[in-house]
Amino acid sequence: MIFKKQVFRADKKVTPLIGIILFFISIFLFIITIPLGFVYGLFYKFFKKGIVGIGEYLLNIAISIDQLGNVTMQHLLNLLWIKKNGYKFGNRDETISSALGRNNKLGTLSYFGKTMDKFLNLIDKNHSLNSIDYYIEPSADVIDKLAWIYIINQRVLLLGSKEQPYYSFPGGKKQKGTSDAMTLQKRIADVLQIELDITTFQFIGIFEAEAEEYKPGILTRTTAYSASFSGVPTAFAETDQIVWLQYKDRDKVSRVDKLIFDFLKKSGRLA
């Protein structure tokens, strides 16, 4: 399959005055247009899909309100719901529930955060954990990486380096303005001297864990792919070495790569 180019654009710098003006314009348009759009949307969904359509429509609105709350309430939530080393609320592309779930996984919820999480669980079991969004736009609290997964005889290829404490999957950080496939193809060509066939890329999954060697609350999010290639994998740098690991070698990789090992083992690909 061929992946469409995914482009992340950095936020444009604006003056405070522009921000204030746009805020009041958006509030004005919200008051004028939302009631009409909401009523029309209810009727439209009802005639298209009945009660189910209305439920879907209201759920989408609830998610949007949740994202708005994550921005407007970020400073208060960061003060009351999480510990100092927690994952921060405030990403405009993320819901409150998603950020709550990330802190739940990290064990960085405060007393108030745990109380809210328990309350939501009464309504919807494992609500915050199931709400974690792995497709949010990049932020300073998330290190976005790519990994190429290559398995032979239930052993997976990783790279080792004297400069790094762990073996790691070939790959690297995502690049703004470049698709995952193109970024990974270039990176793998640099480190292994092979050419990945972009038309054969297969998405494996997105894995997220607390990052090593960074301050607490920083996460590593790895998007993993497999793909066919031409050539013979050869470590380019003299300090690097190619290793073939099994599941028993799980302790030799980073936290996020451990999750990939778990997934590969569970799916029967790794011995």
Side-chain angles (χ1 to χ4, degrees), residues 7-111:
V7 179
F8 296 108
R9 295 184 176 88
D11 291 340
K12 294 180 179 179
K13 293 184 178 180
V14 296
T15 63
L17 179 60
I18 295 297
I20 294 172
I21 293 174
L22 291 177
F23 171 77
F24 283 107
I25 290 176
S26 65
I27 292 296
F28 174 77
L29 292 176
F30 180 90
I31 294 173
I32 298 299
T33 62
I34 286 297
L36 177 62
F38 177 69
V39 172
Y40 177 80
L42 287 176
F43 280 103
Y44 179 85
K45 283 293 186 178
F46 179 75
F47 285 110
K48 283 288 185 179
K49 301 178 69 174
I51 297 299
V52 173
I54 291 179
E56 293 174 349
Y57 180 55
L58 294 179
L59 177 60
N60 287 334
I61 293 175
I63 292 173
S64 297
I65 294 174
D66 204 345
Q67 290 175 319
L68 175 62
N70 193 36
V71 175
T72 56
M73 296 283 290
Q74 59 180 294
H75 303 297
L76 186 60
L77 295 179
N78 288 334
L79 175 66
L80 297 178
W81 283 13
I82 61 174
K83 300 175 183 177
K84 289 184 178 180
N85 61 340
Y87 172 80
K88 298 295 188 292
F89 291 87
N91 189 320
R92 66 186 182 186
D93 195 36
E94 186 174 25
T95 64
I96 293 176
S97 297
S98 175
L100 190 70
R102 282 189 162 91
N103 282 288
N104 188 351
K105 286 182 63 177
L106 292 172
T108 52
L109 289 175
S110 67
Y111 171 79

Side-chain angles (χ1 to χ4, degrees), residues 22 60 236 269-270:
L22 291 177
N60 287 334
F236 177 75
R269 306 184 205 183
L270 200 61

Side-chain angles (χ1 to χ4, degrees), residues 218-233:
I218 301 299
L219 304 177
T220 296
R221 179 173 60 203
T222 298
T223 305
Y225 298 92
S226 63
S228 301
F229 64 93
S230 58
V232 178

Side-chain angles (χ1 to χ4, degrees), residues 135-152:
Y135 297 91
I136 60 173
E137 66 181 3
S139 72
D141 294 326
V142 179
I143 302 168
D144 248 327
K145 300 179 68 177
L146 298 169
W148 176 57
I149 310 298
Y150 181 51
I151 300 172
I152 294 182

Side-chain angles (χ1 to χ4, degrees), residues 150-197:
Y150 181 51
I151 300 172
I152 294 182
N153 297 326
Q154 294 189 305
R155 296 172 184 264
V156 63
L157 183 151
L158 286 92
L159 289 175
S161 172
K162 295 179 181 179
E163 301 174 355
Q164 300 296 330
Y166 303 105
Y167 293 113
S168 61
F169 289 101
K173 290 185 178 180
K174 285 194 175 188
Q175 299 295 318
K176 292 181 179 179
T178 307
S179 67
D180 288 356
M182 294 297 293
T183 300
L184 204 51
Q185 184 189 52
K186 183 179 185 304
R187 180 59 181 164
I188 297 303
D190 290 340
V191 299
L192 290 176
Q193 304 181 72
I194 59 175
E195 183 175 357
L196 300 184
D197 183 352

